[in-house]
Amino acid sequence: MKTFQPPSSRLKIFMIASFLLCITYLLALIFIVPITKTTSTSLHDLSSPTSLDHIVFGIASNEKSWSSRKNYVKLWWRPQEMRGCVFLERMPSNESLDQSDVNSVPRICVSEDTSRFRYTFRNGLRSAIRVARVVSETVALNYSDVRWFVFGDDDTIFFPENLVKTLSKFDHGLWYYIGTNSESFVQNKQFSYDMAFGGAGFAISYPLARVLAKVFDSCLHRYPHLYGSDGRIQACISELGVSLTHEPGFHQMDFRGSMFGLLASHPLRPLVSLHHWEAMDPIFPKMSPIKALEHLFQAVRIDSQRTMQKTVCYDRWFSWTISVSWGYAVQIFPRNVFLPDALRTQETYIPWRKGGGINDLYVVDTMGYDPDPCRRPPVFFLHNVSSAGDGIRSTYRMMNTDNCTFDMASPRKLEEIRVFSHKLELDRKQLQAPRRHCCDVLPSSVGTTMEIAIRECGGEELIHMR
């Protein structure tokens, strides 16, 4: 008869270990799994940073204008990093196709036929329907790993790095329609304050764009009476219950003449887009529009996020107010100017529409611009910009000769402004709650040169006259 043998110590250890493993597994099911489910819903927190690879562009053009407007697109398009199409009503003839353009502009896509849609706006352009459908046709390209669809015209200048930075502060997993209104009061009044104007460009998040593309044609049938493409897009998005998220870095530029006043008072946001170049004076004197843009992009390539960002400082010795719009221009008021006044937009431009009255009203905080150039503060435009290990140096010089008389207490005696700064790298919190930088006028051994250093303001530092 066999007697009972107690389990060996090795077996006991195995049984205890198995028991503990089971308990650990059960605890994991109870506590860890629910946490994982909760955190996995936040796509923005767990995903990689947004880049140009996550954006698909839809650019509206036509066969007639594309041959000249493509030169604007070449300035900002990055073939190795960007995806998307420029949409034309038909493929250009072989004679007008330049093979050198293949690697410098988006590929050409031919728009689908829109004859089945009615267009009843008197004296309008039915091409607005074709341009509106760029949204659904861009989504139908079925690119992978898309977070944002960005749309614009063939004369919309995008600033790619700033576009990415701006979109990165939003959760691309939610329904977003991001853009801006017109600067003109009457344009907004006629169309909508809740519409992203197409020339400024606008962005639609991937989940919203997918739904919008499915229902878009049904919306087009309901809005034959609207004038433009952007109105049709806004109408359909509003039917989905989504309103415009206003982003002041996009610019429709609905005025004519000199855009200096608006650019020199750019909002405290990254510069995302500019429009209507052919209705404007070149942004730098004595240059063609395209050459002026190429000159601006010298600064953009070195410090895109700081481009057009405004900094104001005060010279104690002469009681001057210095306004630096980095990468563009430095303006020196020969007197002390309160900061709120120095930040206002000078009306250097003329209205988009003639006729006076409400056509002369803008939705920006403007101030007058003296018709006498000798009574205006002198402006020093960007001359060059360079980057080295100790930071960035940009220089600014006068480009106009106004033949004004002045004494040695006038800023007109200056020949060059040198601005020292460091590359601006905004994180998500700084994008959501931006703060203007400070600057200091540095001692200079040369009487015709002023040197300025831009820096972050101190915790409780005020920008004010002393």
Side-chain angles (χ1 to χ4, degrees):
M1 178 178 176
K2 295 182 178 180
T3 58
F4 174 77
Q5 297 291 330
S8 66
S9 59
R10 183 177 298 176
L11 182 59
K12 288 181 178 179
I13 293 173
F14 175 77
M15 294 174 65
I16 293 172
S18 299
F19 176 78
L20 292 174
L21 185 61
C22 291
I23 294 297
T24 302
Y25 178 75
L26 290 173
L27 290 173
L29 290 175
I30 295 172
F31 295 105
I32 297 178
V33 171
I35 293 175
T36 302
K37 288 182 178 179
T38 301
T39 57
S40 65
T41 59
S42 181
L43 297 176
H44 188 93
D45 293 337
L46 295 181
S47 62
S48 61
T50 295
S51 68
L52 283 173
D53 294 334
H54 298 119
I55 299 174
V56 172
F57 291 84
I59 306 300
S61 185
N62 60 74
E63 183 187 13
K64 182 179 180 180
S65 70
W66 177 240
S67 60
S68 60
R69 296 280 181 83
K70 66 184 178 184
N71 293 318
Y72 291 114
V73 179
K74 286 179 182 179
L75 285 170
W76 58 269
W77 185 258
R78 300 180 186 177
Q80 304 304 318
E81 301 175 72
M82 293 179 170
R83 301 179 292 173
C85 264
V86 54
F87 286 84
L88 309 180
E89 74 278 26
R90 66 180 65 88
M91 187 63 71
S93 62
N94 291 333
E95 292 78 13
S96 62
L97 286 174
D98 189 343
Q99 291 304 311
S100 63
D101 293 337
V102 173
N103 295 322
S104 57
V105 295
R107 67 187 177 99
I108 294 175
C109 292
V110 177
S111 300
E112 297 176 6
D113 177 58
T114 59
S115 59
R116 66 186 183 279
F117 299 102
R118 291 189 306 131
Y119 184 84
T120 60
F121 191 95
R122 188 176 181 181
N123 297 324
L125 300 173
R126 79 163 281 116
S127 59
I129 298 173
R130 180 184 71 84
V131 173
R133 291 194 82 254
V134 167
V135 171
S136 55
E137 291 179 23
T138 301
V139 175
L141 296 175
N142 283 326
Y143 284 108
S144 62
D145 196 20
V146 180
R147 297 181 182 179
W148 297 94
F149 291 95
V150 172
F151 304 95
D153 291 346
D154 52 11
D155 63 339
T156 304
I157 305 295
F158 286 107
F159 297 84
E161 182 180 335
N162 295 350
L163 173 65
V164 170
K165 272 291 180 179
T166 297
L167 295 180
S168 69
K169 70 182 179 181
F170 300 101
D171 187 338
H172 55 269
L174 303 179
W175 286 18
Y176 273 111
Y177 167 49
I178 301 171
T180 192
N181 296 137
S182 171
E183 298 81 7
S184 165
F185 169 80
V186 70
Q187 290 286 95
N188 294 321
K189 191 68 176 176
Q190 178 175 349
F191 298 110
S192 173
Y193 276 90
D194 204 34
M195 181 187 84
F197 278 64
F202 56 95
I204 302 177
S205 60
Y206 176 82
L208 174 58
R210 292 291 293 179
V211 175
L212 178 64
K214 293 178 180 178
V215 301
F216 196 64
D217 283 354
S218 68
C219 290
L220 289 180
H221 286 295
R222 285 190 290 280
Y223 296 99
H225 61 284
L226 295 181
Y227 168 71
S229 58
D230 37 18
R232 288 166 166 77
I233 294 165
Q234 183 262 335
C236 195
I237 289 178
S238 67
E239 287 191 359
L240 287 170
V242 177
S243 62
L244 177 66
T245 297
H246 294 261
E247 184 54 52
F250 294 85
H251 296 282
Q252 172 70 10
M253 310 296 277
D254 275 343
F255 44 74
R256 303 179 191 275
S258 170
M259 65 178 78
F260 170 78
L262 188 136
L263 296 183
S265 60
H266 191 272
L268 198 55
R269 297 291 192 280
L271 173 64
V272 176
S273 71
L274 294 172
H275 183 228
H276 276 154
W277 290 98
E278 294 172 352
M280 306 289 179
D281 298 336
I283 62 173
F284 292 105
K286 301 178 181 179
M287 295 185 187
S288 68
I290 196 73
K291 288 296 183 183
L293 281 169
E294 290 172 352
H295 188 58
L296 176 64
F297 267 82
Q298 293 181 26
V300 172
R301 283 189 287 269
I302 288 180
D303 195 348
S304 181
Q305 293 175 56
R306 193 181 293 280
T307 300
M308 298 295 176
Q309 291 302 290
K310 185 162 183 167
T311 308
V312 177
C313 48
Y314 296 90
D315 180 89
R316 298 183 182 182
W317 184 260
F318 291 105
S319 297
W320 293 344
T321 302
I322 300 103
S323 173
V324 180
S325 300
W326 192 91
Y328 179 49
V330 177
Q331 190 172 199
I332 303 181
F333 296 83
R335 63 188 185 279
N336 281 327
V337 178
F338 286 108
L339 182 64
D341 295 324
L343 297 178
R344 296 174 69 190
T345 299
Q346 299 173 73
E347 291 187 23
T348 61
Y349 40 80
I350 59 176
W352 183 252
R353 298 182 181 183
K354 298 179 181 179
I358 62 173
N359 292 310
D360 294 349
L361 300 179
Y362 304 99
V363 292
V364 291
D365 184 14
T366 64
M367 61 186 296
Y369 193 61
D370 201 304
D372 183 356
C374 293
R375 299 180 64 180
R376 302 172 192 160
V379 178
F380 301 78
F381 288 96
L382 177 71
H383 177 64
N384 59 43
V385 58
S386 60
S387 177
D390 59 346
I392 297 171
R393 186 175 95 161
S394 53
T395 62
Y396 304 79
R397 296 177 181 174
M398 284 183 129
M399 290 186 178
N400 286 326
T401 54
D402 47 27
N403 297 319
C404 300
T405 58
F406 57 89
D407 56 30
M408 294 311 293
S410 169
R412 294 183 186 277
K413 71 177 183 179
L414 297 172
E415 296 177 0
E416 182 174 280
I417 314 293
R418 298 171 185 167
V419 178
F420 302 93
S421 59
H422 292 278
K423 186 174 175 62
L424 187 60
E425 297 280 3
L426 299 170
D427 59 30
R428 191 162 181 250
K429 290 183 178 179
Q430 291 171 318
L431 289 165
Q432 292 174 330
R435 186 187 181 192
R436 196 176 305 279
H437 278 195
C438 289
C439 61
D440 302 302
V441 178
L442 304 178
S444 175
S445 58
V446 182
T448 59
T449 300
M450 173 181 280
E451 294 185 337
I452 298 170
I454 297 178
R455 57 175 174 79
E456 289 189 27
C457 297
E460 298 180 1
E461 183 175 1
L462 300 173
I463 305 173
H464 66 95
M465 299 180 297
R466 292 174 176 84

